[in-house]
Amino acid sequence: MKATSARLTDAAMAYVKKKNLTAVSVDTPEMACCGVADVMSATVSKGLPKKDPVVYKKCDDRGVAIYYPYYTEVEGECIVIDAEKVLGITRLFVANGLMEI
């Protein structure tokens, strides 16, 4: 189902607030070698989108602007952005992304 909104989990919101970010953006999918776009577990960048601004929609969650590609496929209608910490490095990612077909 195509995403119609986006939200941050509590862990992601804590990270965003700690870093004093006012905007995050879901990275546009890259084409894989087999010709299928990689959307599952898409990464999320800090700040405004850096490429293809025409394909992004904007959503606000508790004062943080979230930009995501309008064609993002997710379970449900809302993109859920979560944070994970591995070896002391925190990364934001789309927790409920589906693979584009």
Side-chain angles (χ1 to χ4, degrees):
M1 176 172 261
K2 294 222 184 309
T4 58
S5 63
R7 70 175 179 82
L8 298 164
T9 63
D10 291 339
M13 182 58 80
Y15 174 76
V16 167
K17 293 296 181 188
K18 179 180 174 184
K19 295 292 184 179
N20 294 320
L21 299 174
T22 57
V24 295
S25 57
V26 176
D27 298 330
T28 54
E30 300 293 332
M31 292 305 286
C33 63
C34 59
V36 177
D38 179 18
V39 175
M40 189 173 291
S41 296
T43 58
V44 178
S45 297
K46 301 171 189 173
L48 300 173
K50 294 175 179 53
K51 55 185 177 177
D52 300 330
V54 72
V55 302
Y56 282 90
K57 290 175 98 175
K58 180 184 175 189
C59 179
D60 288 309
D61 182 19
R62 297 172 273 176
V64 177
I66 302 169
Y67 295 87
Y68 62 93
Y70 68 86
Y71 50 81
T72 304
E73 293 281 338
V74 292
E75 293 177 17
E77 293 182 356
C78 183
I79 294 174
V80 177
I81 297 173
D82 202 357
E84 69 178 356
K85 191 171 191 174
V86 178
L87 299 174
I89 298 171
T90 303
R91 100 178 164 102
L92 298 173
F93 67 98
V94 175
N96 63 335
L98 298 176
M99 190 68 73
E100 284 277 333
I101 298 176

